[in-house]
Amino acid sequence: MYAPQDDTEMLAEALRAEAPPPGSRVLDVGTGSGALALAAARQGAEVTAVDVSRQAVWTARLNAWLSRLPVRIRRGNLFAPVRGRAFDLILANPPYVPAPEEGRGPRGRARAWDAGSDGRLLLDQICRDAPALLRPGGLLLLVHSALSGPDRTLEMLRAAGLSAEVVRRRRVPFGPVLRSREDWLRRRGLLGPADDKEELVVIRAERPR
């Protein structure tokens, strides 16, 4: 888990732009501190938040209690805790930073950002599984780095029958994680010699009514 940053802010902006009506059923998957779940609850949504991290679950519960907002918070891997349910809106800010593979998955705090050699360790699963959890007319709002293949995300979501497009882009200075692996990213061809910023994208995908 890490403190909310530019990606969370971008997703919150996209959420405000959608303005889901009160009573909308919203899922925040990979909730972390619960910032997006709380933003949706402030708009009157009926919110469920999920995270695999015990620390994140307890932090989100504490923040919901302090904010006096009703949010259901469950511990589990991605959509496992909400199988059989359907939502009007799914928010997803998963780990998406490409990472050198060392023969095992990310551990500890790195689970909040490391996502395999192509950055798609969880993105592909979200693209496969989220569409089935959307009600007719339901939306998925997903944020990730341009280093992790937005075109593949769009392709997978469209193949699942959703209309999908990039609705927000923002270039931000490298944070500590990207700075620590700049050389590796350049060797992989994911960064150019003069690149000193990362592009983040928000993808909006809608299930037909």
Side-chain angles (χ1 to χ4, degrees):
M1 189 185 71
Y2 62 93
Q5 311 213 6
D6 293 275
D7 48 7
T8 302
E9 180 182 341
M10 290 176 67
L11 208 49
E13 291 170 358
L15 171 64
R16 288 192 294 270
E18 294 297 338
S24 298
R25 295 180 67 178
V26 173
L27 172 65
D28 179 22
V29 61
T31 193
S33 67
L36 291 166
L38 297 181
R42 290 188 185 98
Q43 295 187 19
E46 178 187 315
V47 184
T48 300
V50 174
D51 205 291
V52 73
S53 162
R54 287 186 177 87
Q55 181 183 0
V57 166
W58 284 109
T59 300
R61 286 175 177 166
L62 176 61
N63 287 335
W65 181 78
L66 291 172
S67 301
R68 299 183 180 180
L69 290 169
V71 177
R72 295 186 186 91
I73 302 168
R74 301 288 182 264
R75 180 173 178 263
N77 186 30
L78 292 180
F79 304 112
V82 294
R83 294 294 182 198
R85 297 183 60 190
F87 298 89
D88 300 295
L89 176 63
I90 297 175
L91 301 166
N93 181 3
Y96 53 70
V97 179
E101 292 189 331
E102 299 176 349
R104 64 177 188 176
R107 295 288 188 274
R109 294 182 67 234
R111 291 188 303 172
W113 54 79
D114 279 356
S117 63
D118 60 0
R120 300 196 61 88
L121 186 65
L122 297 181
L123 280 169
D124 285 345
Q125 187 174 343
I126 290 171
C127 292
R128 285 193 303 266
D129 295 349
L133 276 72
L134 290 173
R135 289 176 165 176
L139 299 176
L140 168 67
L141 294 175
L142 169 66
V143 64
H144 67 82
S145 172
L147 298 174
S148 310
D151 288 343
R152 176 172 172 81
T153 298
L154 294 171
E155 178 184 348
M156 291 187 70
L157 293 172
R158 289 166 181 165
L162 307 186
S163 60
E165 62 179 331
V166 175
V167 293
R168 273 176 169 70
R169 295 181 182 270
R170 183 175 301 169
R171 291 180 60 80
V172 300
F174 292 160
V177 175
L178 279 191
R179 286 199 300 270
S180 72
R181 59 189 62 159
E182 269 189 72
D183 290 344
W184 178 78
L185 290 167
R186 294 188 201 283
R187 289 196 301 271
R188 288 279 316 278
L190 295 174
L191 288 176
D195 288 343
D196 61 357
K197 291 187 177 180
E198 176 188 19
E199 183 179 44
L200 302 176
V201 300
V202 174
I203 292 172
R204 179 189 189 273
E206 181 174 2
R207 179 179 174 182
R209 294 186 181 276

